[in-house]
Each structure stands twice: as C-alpha cells, then as structure tokens.
Amino acid sequence: DMIPYTPTLASSSLLGRTTTSTFVLEQPRCVFSTMENDTNIIIWLVVATPEGRWVNFNNSLGPGTKARAFQMFPSDTSAYMTLGTTILQYPCLKNPGDITVLRVGSETSCAKNNSRPTCNGPLPFPGPYRVKFLAFNGSEPVAETDWSAPITLKEAKAYNSIPTMGSRHSGGMIAITTILSILFAVLLAGLLAMIIS
Amino acid sequence: MAKSSDGIHILQGLLVFGNVVIGMCGIALTAECIFFVSDPHGLYPLLEATEKDDIYAAAWIGIFVGFALLALSILGIVGVIQCNRTLLLVYVILMLITYAFEMASCITAATHRDFLTPNLFLKQMLERYEKPETDSNSDNWKTERVTETWNKLMPQNQCCGVQGPSDWQEYTSAFRITHSDADFPWPRKCCVMNPQESPVNLDACKLGVPGYYYNKGCYDAISGPMNTHAWGVAWFGFAILCWTFCVLLGTMFYWSRIEY
C-alpha cells in the first residue's frame, strides 16, 4: 500500500547534506507504523533517475537482482536499491537531539564489486535523482512511500577557472610610491646644489 | 668653526636630535624585519609557492637598511658636532643610497601585498594540497611544503580551506584525485580532533554536523599576519623616510652654512 510520506533531504544545518557524490536523507521514522512489530519486513531505499519512469515503476523487481544492482546503475538500469534495514531500526520514538539520517553514497569499498548489488556506493553523476522507500516482506513488496522531490548534487568547477589576476593597486601603495619618489627627487636636487655650489 | 650665532646652534641641536631618532628607528626597523623574516606563523611556504614572496625580500632589505641607518646616524652626529664638511658630504651621499634601498623595500612590500587575495591562496591550495608526487621533481618540494603548511595551519587555527570546507566541494582539486568525495568531502584535518590526533566523530565530520568539523575559512589566519608584515615594513619605512628627508634637508642647509 501507499504510505503518504515524502522522503526529504536532511536539515540544512548539515554541511554535507549534498556533496558531489553523496546526499543525506532523513530516516523514515514513524512512517511504517502499522508494520512496526513485524520483524520480517525490510525497508529498502530506491534511487532512480528520470528515465526510471516513476509513473510505471515496477515495484516487484527485488533488491539484489541485476535489474536493481548498484553496479548496473545508470548504464544498464535506471534505478537501484540499497540501504536495506529492518523496520526495527526506524523506531518511532527518538531521543531529542539525535541526528537520524541516512547517508546515501557512503560505501566506497563495494562500488565496483558485482557480488554486492545492494552496495550503497557513491553516486556517479550530479543527478537529478528521486528516491522512495519500499518495504518488502520476503520477496513481496508490501508498502511504498511517495517519490521524493528531485535531488541534485553539487557540481565542482575546475580550479583553473579561478581568476587570480585583477589585483588593482591599492591607494596606499600609490601614495607611498608617489610621495617617496618626490621626496627622493628633492633630495637628489639638494645634493646636486650642494656639490655644484 | 662656524659663525657662532644662536641659529646655527639650534640647527646643530635639531640635527643631532634628528640623527638620534634615525638611529633608534634604524634599530626598531631591524628588529621588526628580523621578526617578520623569522616567520613566526609558518606561512612562508605558501608565499614561496606563489612566487610572489617579495615581501620577504623587502623585510631582508629592511634589516640591512636598519643597520645602515644606525651607523650613518652616528656618523651624522659626529659630523654635525665637529662641523666637518667632508664628513657631512659623505654622510649625505651614503644616506641617499640607503634612502634609495629603503624606498625600494617599502614600494615592494606595498605592491606585493596587493597580490595576496583569497583567490590566489584558494587556487594554490586546490592545485597543490595533497597533490600526488610526479616524476618531474622541480615542483615536488613546493607541493610538500604547501601540504605541510596547510596540515599545520588547519588544526592550529581551527579552520578549513580558504573560505570554508565547501571550497573542496565547489571546486575540483588535486586532493580530490586521490581522495574520493564520499570518504573525504573535506580533508581529515578539518575534523575536530581528540588528543590522540584522530577525529572525535568521523561520521559526524563527514556529514558536516556543526561542532565536529571546522566551519570557518583560514583566509583570516593567513592574511592577518601577512598584512601586518607587509604594512609594517611599508608604512614604518615610509615614516622613517619622511623623517630622514627632513633631517637630510636640514643637513644640506647646515652644510651650506659652515665653512671649511
């Protein structure tokens, strides 16, 4: 069934909310509350590109299959599934002041390892991406949330493009140069007058 | 001996006083320039790598000019008291040479200070920090020293990057080539460290949780001492030269009033 929850990015007080290859989501706490006690349920995160065709997204393609493998993304598949956790990890009760987030893209070690299709690998391009949570009981999808708003990552500019020229001379430097030059010229004139006379 | 009128005596007194002040200023200039050259903040490698390190050359010149001013002021005092025209002529000529050097030092310090902008240091940091060693050796020592300086600067001043940790996100860099964005959104040195030199909470640092990483940029910590250095050399030198100008004019006038 559809759960009316939209996954959102974490609070903007986190500087690493979006980087060039990762982003941080709020955990879906208190979202799957009807199933909280069923320990067989695993919540997966689906990350998709616009070609994923959200309208007709096939929920029954399970995690760990080639069609939803991180390593096949984005060339051979338009979505992958990762961060599978039991529902017990998202309890409704949370301590105030706790930061409950999910960092998408943090596992660099398994990014190229085909035997780990549910790897939470770094995202290969700046996006935009959309995500949703999908709950599976065994191999059956049982609940899903809405798709999130499009998430775009940061893009780094080339450091060569930083302009370092354009240093205009400050007023102080011009004052020092002109005044000292004039004074020096006067002194030289005085020296000449001394020697000649 | 000179015409024994009060005017000449007053002029003599003023010139001796002027020379005493020049001597003391010479000592002060030497001391100030030695302090700057000793680089107490360890920022010289950053300047060296930009090849715009002439504010150090200006400070070196300042050291020698300071000694010269001290020596010449003593010569001047002796020449004024003894009313010796030859001594005073030598004094004026040597003072003019010293004046020219000090002028060069002031102008160099002021001009090169204008080159030190945030973008200059930003580009250098992105280009050189943690750059992998290459076979051509000419630049490796610069890279090493820049890396070492930044690694010391960031924990010491509790800052990160030039304008902030987002420098590492907004621009590509040599650092990014060897350190992936997912593991190192910004260098480890930007994380708050415990006494064992490891991050207090590495995940919090990578997420950017306030309090676990250094949010402010290092530009103030770099430009503060450098500006003090450059303006100290430039403006103090300027003040000394203005005073010296007056003393020299007085000496020339005095010289023309005494006879052999």
Side-chain angles (χ1 to χ4, degrees), chain B residues 165-181:
Chain B
S166 35
D167 287 343
W168 303 104
Q169 289 295 314
E170 278 177 44
Y171 295 97
T172 60
S173 54
F175 175 75
R176 191 52 73 222
I177 295 176
T178 43
H179 298 78
S180 73
D181 172 77

PDB file of all heavy atoms in Angstrom, chain B residues 165-181:
ATOM      1  N   PRO B 165      35.011  24.770   4.394  1.00  0.00           N
ATOM      2  CA  PRO B 165      35.130  23.421   3.837  1.00  0.00           C
ATOM      3  C   PRO B 165      34.465  23.291   2.474  1.00  0.00           C
ATOM      4  O   PRO B 165      34.828  22.407   1.697  1.00  0.00           O
ATOM      5  CB  PRO B 165      34.407  22.548   4.861  1.00  0.00           C
ATOM      6  CG  PRO B 165      34.188  23.378   6.050  1.00  0.00           C
ATOM      7  CD  PRO B 165      34.283  24.807   5.656  1.00  0.00           C
ATOM      8  N   SER B 166      33.523  24.151   2.152  1.00  0.00           N
ATOM      9  CA  SER B 166      32.861  23.991   0.858  1.00  0.00           C
ATOM     10  C   SER B 166      33.766  24.335  -0.316  1.00  0.00           C
ATOM     11  O   SER B 166      33.424  24.070  -1.453  1.00  0.00           O
ATOM     12  CB  SER B 166      31.570  24.805   0.791  1.00  0.00           C
ATOM     13  OG  SER B 166      31.715  25.987   1.500  1.00  0.00           O
ATOM     14  N   ASP B 167      34.953  24.879  -0.055  1.00  0.00           N
ATOM     15  CA  ASP B 167      35.935  25.046  -1.136  1.00  0.00           C
ATOM     16  C   ASP B 167      36.192  23.706  -1.801  1.00  0.00           C
ATOM     17  O   ASP B 167      36.354  23.617  -3.016  1.00  0.00           O
ATOM     18  CB  ASP B 167      37.284  25.544  -0.593  1.00  0.00           C
ATOM     19  CG  ASP B 167      37.229  27.001  -0.188  1.00  0.00           C
ATOM     20  OD1 ASP B 167      36.285  27.692  -0.608  1.00  0.00           O
ATOM     21  OD2 ASP B 167      38.129  27.440   0.539  1.00  0.00           O
ATOM     22  N   TRP B 168      36.246  22.656  -0.978  1.00  0.00           N
ATOM     23  CA  TRP B 168      36.571  21.332  -1.516  1.00  0.00           C
ATOM     24  C   TRP B 168      35.399  20.757  -2.302  1.00  0.00           C
ATOM     25  O   TRP B 168      35.572  19.839  -3.104  1.00  0.00           O
ATOM     26  CB  TRP B 168      36.941  20.380  -0.375  1.00  0.00           C
ATOM     27  CG  TRP B 168      38.069  20.907   0.439  1.00  0.00           C
ATOM     28  CD1 TRP B 168      37.990  21.473   1.672  1.00  0.00           C
ATOM     29  CD2 TRP B 168      39.447  20.933   0.083  1.00  0.00           C
ATOM     30  NE1 TRP B 168      39.232  21.864   2.103  1.00  0.00           N
ATOM     31  CE2 TRP B 168      40.147  21.533   1.148  1.00  0.00           C
ATOM     32  CE3 TRP B 168      40.158  20.510  -1.032  1.00  0.00           C
ATOM     33  CZ2 TRP B 168      41.514  21.724   1.130  1.00  0.00           C
ATOM     34  CZ3 TRP B 168      41.527  20.692  -1.035  1.00  0.00           C
ATOM     35  CH2 TRP B 168      42.193  21.297   0.031  1.00  0.00           C
ATOM     36  N   GLN B 169      34.210  21.258  -2.057  1.00  0.00           N
ATOM     37  CA  GLN B 169      33.053  20.792  -2.801  1.00  0.00           C
ATOM     38  C   GLN B 169      32.811  21.610  -4.056  1.00  0.00           C
ATOM     39  O   GLN B 169      32.353  21.105  -5.066  1.00  0.00           O
ATOM     40  CB  GLN B 169      31.793  20.888  -1.916  1.00  0.00           C
ATOM     41  CG  GLN B 169      31.754  19.881  -0.793  1.00  0.00           C
ATOM     42  CD  GLN B 169      31.654  18.496  -1.335  1.00  0.00           C
ATOM     43  OE1 GLN B 169      30.862  18.232  -2.216  1.00  0.00           O
ATOM     44  NE2 GLN B 169      32.478  17.596  -0.839  1.00  0.00           N
ATOM     45  N   GLU B 170      33.098  22.896  -3.952  1.00  0.00           N
ATOM     46  CA  GLU B 170      32.766  23.763  -5.093  1.00  0.00           C
ATOM     47  C   GLU B 170      33.750  23.632  -6.239  1.00  0.00           C
ATOM     48  O   GLU B 170      33.421  23.960  -7.369  1.00  0.00           O
ATOM     49  CB  GLU B 170      32.758  25.213  -4.636  1.00  0.00           C
ATOM     50  CG  GLU B 170      31.469  25.613  -3.966  1.00  0.00           C
ATOM     51  CD  GLU B 170      31.549  27.045  -3.473  1.00  0.00           C
ATOM     52  OE1 GLU B 170      32.039  27.914  -4.221  1.00  0.00           O
ATOM     53  OE2 GLU B 170      31.168  27.274  -2.325  1.00  0.00           O
ATOM     54  N   TYR B 171      34.966  23.220  -5.942  1.00  0.00           N
ATOM     55  CA  TYR B 171      35.986  23.179  -6.991  1.00  0.00           C
ATOM     56  C   TYR B 171      36.641  21.808  -7.032  1.00  0.00           C
ATOM     57  O   TYR B 171      36.747  21.132  -6.012  1.00  0.00           O
ATOM     58  CB  TYR B 171      37.079  24.215  -6.728  1.00  0.00           C
ATOM     59  CG  TYR B 171      36.582  25.635  -6.799  1.00  0.00           C
ATOM     60  CD1 TYR B 171      36.235  26.324  -5.635  1.00  0.00           C
ATOM     61  CD2 TYR B 171      36.445  26.287  -8.021  1.00  0.00           C
ATOM     62  CE1 TYR B 171      35.769  27.617  -5.694  1.00  0.00           C
ATOM     63  CE2 TYR B 171      35.987  27.584  -8.080  1.00  0.00           C
ATOM     64  CZ  TYR B 171      35.655  28.243  -6.923  1.00  0.00           C
ATOM     65  OH  TYR B 171      35.198  29.531  -6.982  1.00  0.00           O
ATOM     66  N   THR B 172      37.133  21.458  -8.220  1.00  0.00           N
ATOM     67  CA  THR B 172      37.951  20.248  -8.325  1.00  0.00           C
ATOM     68  C   THR B 172      39.305  20.579  -7.712  1.00  0.00           C
ATOM     69  O   THR B 172      39.647  21.738  -7.514  1.00  0.00           O
ATOM     70  CB  THR B 172      38.162  19.852  -9.793  1.00  0.00           C
ATOM     71  OG1 THR B 172      38.819  20.944 -10.458  1.00  0.00           O
ATOM     72  CG2 THR B 172      36.851  19.573 -10.467  1.00  0.00           C
ATOM     73  N   SER B 173      40.080  19.560  -7.396  1.00  0.00           N
ATOM     74  CA  SER B 173      41.379  19.816  -6.773  1.00  0.00           C
ATOM     75  C   SER B 173      42.272  18.611  -6.920  1.00  0.00           C
ATOM     76  O   SER B 173      41.814  17.525  -7.271  1.00  0.00           O
ATOM     77  CB  SER B 173      41.202  20.131  -5.287  1.00  0.00           C
ATOM     78  OG  SER B 173      40.472  19.094  -4.668  1.00  0.00           O
ATOM     79  N   ALA B 174      43.558  18.805  -6.622  1.00  0.00           N
ATOM     80  CA  ALA B 174      44.498  17.691  -6.631  1.00  0.00           C
ATOM     81  C   ALA B 174      44.147  16.722  -5.506  1.00  0.00           C
ATOM     82  O   ALA B 174      44.306  15.507  -5.630  1.00  0.00           O
ATOM     83  CB  ALA B 174      45.918  18.205  -6.441  1.00  0.00           C
ATOM     84  N   PHE B 175      43.636  17.263  -4.418  1.00  0.00           N
ATOM     85  CA  PHE B 175      43.210  16.437  -3.284  1.00  0.00           C
ATOM     86  C   PHE B 175      42.133  15.455  -3.725  1.00  0.00           C
ATOM     87  O   PHE B 175      42.128  14.284  -3.336  1.00  0.00           O
ATOM     88  CB  PHE B 175      42.677  17.361  -2.192  1.00  0.00           C
ATOM     89  CG  PHE B 175      42.081  16.658  -1.005  1.00  0.00           C
ATOM     90  CD1 PHE B 175      42.890  16.047  -0.082  1.00  0.00           C
ATOM     91  CD2 PHE B 175      40.703  16.645  -0.805  1.00  0.00           C
ATOM     92  CE1 PHE B 175      42.348  15.413   1.023  1.00  0.00           C
ATOM     93  CE2 PHE B 175      40.149  16.008   0.289  1.00  0.00           C
ATOM     94  CZ  PHE B 175      40.969  15.397   1.208  1.00  0.00           C
ATOM     95  N   ARG B 176      41.210  15.929  -4.554  1.00  0.00           N
ATOM     96  CA  ARG B 176      40.064  15.120  -4.961  1.00  0.00           C
ATOM     97  C   ARG B 176      40.509  13.933  -5.810  1.00  0.00           C
ATOM     98  O   ARG B 176      39.824  12.919  -5.880  1.00  0.00           O
ATOM     99  CB  ARG B 176      39.079  16.009  -5.739  1.00  0.00           C
ATOM    100  CG  ARG B 176      37.714  15.439  -6.030  1.00  0.00           C
ATOM    101  CD  ARG B 176      36.980  14.900  -4.849  1.00  0.00           C
ATOM    102  NE  ARG B 176      36.467  15.906  -3.955  1.00  0.00           N
ATOM    103  CZ  ARG B 176      36.542  15.799  -2.615  1.00  0.00           C
ATOM    104  NH1 ARG B 176      37.104  14.751  -2.067  1.00  0.00           N
ATOM    105  NH2 ARG B 176      36.041  16.751  -1.858  1.00  0.00           N
ATOM    106  N   ILE B 177      41.677  14.060  -6.479  1.00  0.00           N
ATOM    107  CA  ILE B 177      42.134  12.973  -7.346  1.00  0.00           C
ATOM    108  C   ILE B 177      42.449  11.737  -6.524  1.00  0.00           C
ATOM    109  O   ILE B 177      42.155  10.616  -6.928  1.00  0.00           O
ATOM    110  CB  ILE B 177      43.375  13.425  -8.135  1.00  0.00           C
ATOM    111  CG1 ILE B 177      42.971  14.556  -9.079  1.00  0.00           C
ATOM    112  CG2 ILE B 177      43.977  12.281  -8.913  1.00  0.00           C
ATOM    113  CD1 ILE B 177      44.107  15.153  -9.833  1.00  0.00           C
ATOM    114  N   THR B 178      43.067  11.915  -5.366  1.00  0.00           N
ATOM    115  CA  THR B 178      43.447  10.747  -4.579  1.00  0.00           C
ATOM    116  C   THR B 178      42.497  10.466  -3.427  1.00  0.00           C
ATOM    117  O   THR B 178      42.594   9.427  -2.796  1.00  0.00           O
ATOM    118  CB  THR B 178      44.851  10.939  -3.982  1.00  0.00           C
ATOM    119  OG1 THR B 178      44.942  12.268  -3.488  1.00  0.00           O
ATOM    120  CG2 THR B 178      45.921  10.698  -5.016  1.00  0.00           C
ATOM    121  N   HIS B 179      41.595  11.375  -3.128  1.00  0.00           N
ATOM    122  CA  HIS B 179      40.685  11.148  -2.009  1.00  0.00           C
ATOM    123  C   HIS B 179      39.262  11.285  -2.510  1.00  0.00           C
ATOM    124  O   HIS B 179      38.846  12.360  -2.924  1.00  0.00           O
ATOM    125  CB  HIS B 179      40.928  12.175  -0.904  1.00  0.00           C
ATOM    126  CG  HIS B 179      42.305  12.111  -0.310  1.00  0.00           C
ATOM    127  ND1 HIS B 179      43.409  12.638  -0.934  1.00  0.00           N
ATOM    128  CD2 HIS B 179      42.748  11.572   0.835  1.00  0.00           C
ATOM    129  CE1 HIS B 179      44.470  12.421  -0.178  1.00  0.00           C
ATOM    130  NE2 HIS B 179      44.098  11.783   0.893  1.00  0.00           N
ATOM    131  N   SER B 180      38.497  10.185  -2.455  1.00  0.00           N
ATOM    132  CA  SER B 180      37.163  10.221  -3.052  1.00  0.00           C
ATOM    133  C   SER B 180      36.240  11.120  -2.246  1.00  0.00           C
ATOM    134  O   SER B 180      36.385  11.268  -1.038  1.00  0.00           O
ATOM    135  CB  SER B 180      36.574   8.825  -3.099  1.00  0.00           C
ATOM    136  OG  SER B 180      36.203   8.430  -1.796  1.00  0.00           O
ATOM    137  N   ASP B 181      35.272  11.678  -2.944  1.00  0.00           N
ATOM    138  CA  ASP B 181      34.360  12.622  -2.304  1.00  0.00           C
ATOM    139  C   ASP B 181      33.544  11.952  -1.204  1.00  0.00           C
ATOM    140  O   ASP B 181      33.236  12.554  -0.189  1.00  0.00           O
ATOM    141  CB  ASP B 181      33.449  13.207  -3.376  1.00  0.00           C
ATOM    142  CG  ASP B 181      32.355  14.040  -2.769  1.00  0.00           C
ATOM    143  OD1 ASP B 181      32.633  15.158  -2.368  1.00  0.00           O
ATOM    144  OD2 ASP B 181      31.213  13.535  -2.695  1.00  0.00           O
TER     145      ASP B 181
END
